[in-house]
Amino acid sequence: MMIAMRWIALFLLCLVTVARAHTVPSLTVEAVFQPDHSYTLRINVDPRLFLSDQPTSLPPVEADWYRTQSPDQVKQTEQRATDYLKKAIGLLFATKPTDLPAIAFKPMDGATNEPLKAESKEVHLLAEMQGTATGADFQIVIHQAANSSVILLNCLGDQMERRPQVLFPGETSRPFAIEAKK
């Protein structure tokens, strides 16, 4: 009985320690396809992913880090984020690789996913890309350089896919049909 109580106490201690630890950085990818094959990708990028080879070793990035950057520093930050995304994620249309489209970034509150505000404590970057699909189905490839898990949400028009996908470095998502079923 005493040994069982010690194991329970150890488990609870570990649980409390994990709860106080930093959140693990990940990428959330939302892929929205329209009937005309145009698409928008929105990727929530935690800056720790491109600021360190060991992103889990860093605490969440404070919003002031972004707010105090000069315009040139913002451009450098966006370039680092772009370089990271190009190394981390690949797009496939009908199993054929396609380059990422041009990326526009917006700073956002890392806790609420809303635009960055004066009271925001943590910053993430929202990467937005637009393009035209070159095949009947879509997949993403998560390269080893992602150094993170990815949550993928696919949408056709206003119809969200029922099951989000969680992917890890080295994995490819299941195909998502981007043409409405008749």
Side-chain angles (χ1 to χ4, degrees):
M1 182 72 169
M2 190 60 118
I3 293 174
M5 294 298 282
R6 286 184 185 166
W7 280 110
I8 291 171
L10 181 60
F11 173 75
L12 290 175
L13 178 63
C14 289
L15 192 60
V16 169
T17 302
V18 169
R20 284 199 277 154
H22 305 306
T23 57
V24 176
S26 66
L27 291 170
T28 302
V29 178
E30 180 184 37
V32 180
F33 293 90
Q34 300 303 324
D36 66 357
H37 281 220
S38 65
Y39 67 87
T40 301
L41 293 179
R42 290 182 193 91
I43 304 176
N44 179 337
V45 183
D46 185 322
R48 295 178 288 173
L49 294 169
F50 61 84
L51 291 175
S52 174
D53 290 337
Q54 300 290 324
T56 56
S57 69
L58 297 177
V61 177
E62 293 183 13
D64 283 342
W65 168 81
Y66 186 85
R67 283 191 199 103
T68 59
Q69 290 186 4
S70 70
D72 284 341
Q73 290 171 320
V74 168
K75 284 182 186 176
Q76 290 173 354
T77 294
E78 290 177 354
Q79 185 59 54
R80 288 179 75 183
T82 297
D83 293 344
Y84 167 77
L85 288 173
K86 287 181 177 181
K87 289 187 304 186
I89 294 177
L91 306 181
L92 301 175
F93 289 102
T95 69
K96 292 185 178 78
T98 301
D99 291 336
L100 290 178
I103 304 171
F105 290 96
K106 295 177 187 170
M108 59 189 255
D109 187 301
T112 65
N113 293 336
E114 294 178 2
L116 196 63
K117 297 177 184 158
E119 60 273 5
S120 296
K121 303 286 186 225
E122 178 184 346
V123 68
H124 284 194
L125 297 176
L126 179 63
E128 292 189 337
M129 297 161 251
Q130 296 184 345
T132 301
T134 57
D137 60 49
F138 166 75
Q139 293 174 277
I140 62 170
V141 177
I142 311 306
H143 301 296
Q144 292 296 333
N147 207 13
S148 169
S149 62
V150 173
I151 299 168
L152 172 63
L153 307 162
N154 289 313
C155 188
L156 183 57
D158 60 354
Q159 200 65 29
M160 184 70 69
E161 187 177 35
R162 286 186 183 160
R163 298 177 298 160
Q165 297 178 61
V166 177
L167 303 160
F168 297 94
E171 294 183 341
T172 300
S173 68
R174 63 181 174 269
F176 177 72
I178 56 178
E179 294 180 357
K181 295 183 178 170
K182 298 177 183 181

